[in-house]
Amino acid sequence: MGRAPAAAPLRFTDGDSLRAPHGATWRRGLRTPGVWEEFPAAGQAGPRTDDEARALLAREEEGWLLVPFLPPVTAPLPGTACTSAQQVRELSLVPASGALLYTARLGRTQSFLGDDCGTFHDAAHPVRLRPSDLRATLEGVLTRRASAKVTYHRFSGRAYARYATGSTLHTHIHLLTR
């Protein structure tokens, strides 16, 4: 049984990275905003565009992996705050056909050791969501977690949710897809 075709992100943002199984890592905004460059060999291979990054992700046989920018916990989540389920239902997600859900966790030990972002749970296998599932997920976070923060950053094509359970801080990044 084959895998579903790769979902193409609507937009990328500086801080995103692409990782290849052979070890190459491309970072967006490494030296120039909006430009992909190979790390640590920036300048040697030449810059890439967002369309080239999408093409790399579409070639599933090569195994490129998108790792979205993870905002540090010391900064507010990017975008406009959504404070009610009604605001989430009214989000304009057009022209997105879905979203990829990336989850990151920051535990007490990581925080004690100076980590201010956390680590992705499983960046290689983000959960695919339909627009209705995305809205239901964000509504659920808002209704079940009184201290949750939910934002929508239309420019970068992402919705964010952050909440704490016990001693772990969870950050969800919903990357809108074509």
Side-chain angles (χ1 to χ4, degrees):
M1 183 170 173
R3 287 178 19 180
L10 279 179
R11 297 178 190 92
F12 294 101
T13 192
D14 289 347
D16 288 349
S17 63
L18 288 173
R19 295 185 189 150
H22 54 76
T25 299
W26 289 85
R27 297 194 191 276
R28 190 174 190 271
L30 184 63
R31 295 184 305 164
T32 307
V35 175
W36 291 90
E37 294 179 279
E38 187 173 0
F39 179 81
Q44 295 176 6
R48 291 188 187 238
T49 65
D50 286 349
D51 287 336
E52 290 172 304
R54 276 188 202 89
L56 288 174
L57 289 171
R59 290 189 256 164
E60 291 186 41
E61 66 278 358
E62 291 185 22
W64 285 83
L65 171 68
L66 172 65
V67 180
F69 169 69
L70 180 59
V73 297
T74 55
L77 291 172
T80 304
C82 298
T83 56
S84 70
Q86 183 63 32
Q87 283 180 307
V88 170
R89 283 192 288 278
E90 293 172 356
L91 288 177
S92 174
L93 303 176
V94 175
S97 65
L100 296 175
L101 170 59
Y102 291 85
T103 59
R105 297 182 179 112
L106 177 65
R108 185 176 294 162
T109 305
Q110 290 169 292
S111 179
F112 177 76
L113 295 173
D115 186 348
D116 69 345
C117 287
T119 54
F120 282 104
H121 172 62
D122 189 2
H125 301 99
V127 176
R128 288 180 172 213
L129 301 172
R130 297 174 306 202
S132 59
D133 297 332
L134 168 61
R135 286 187 175 93
T137 300
L138 295 175
E139 282 183 48
V141 168
L142 278 175
T143 56
R144 286 193 293 278
R145 308 276 177 205
S147 64
K149 304 288 186 245
V150 172
T151 64
Y152 178 56
H153 196 261
R154 186 172 175 79
F155 180 74
S156 66
R158 293 159 201 236
Y160 298 89
R162 184 173 280 159
Y163 60 93
T165 57
S167 63
T168 304
L169 185 66
H170 301 266
T171 303
H172 295 188
I173 301 172
H174 302 83
L175 180 64
L176 299 180
T177 58
R178 292 181 177 188

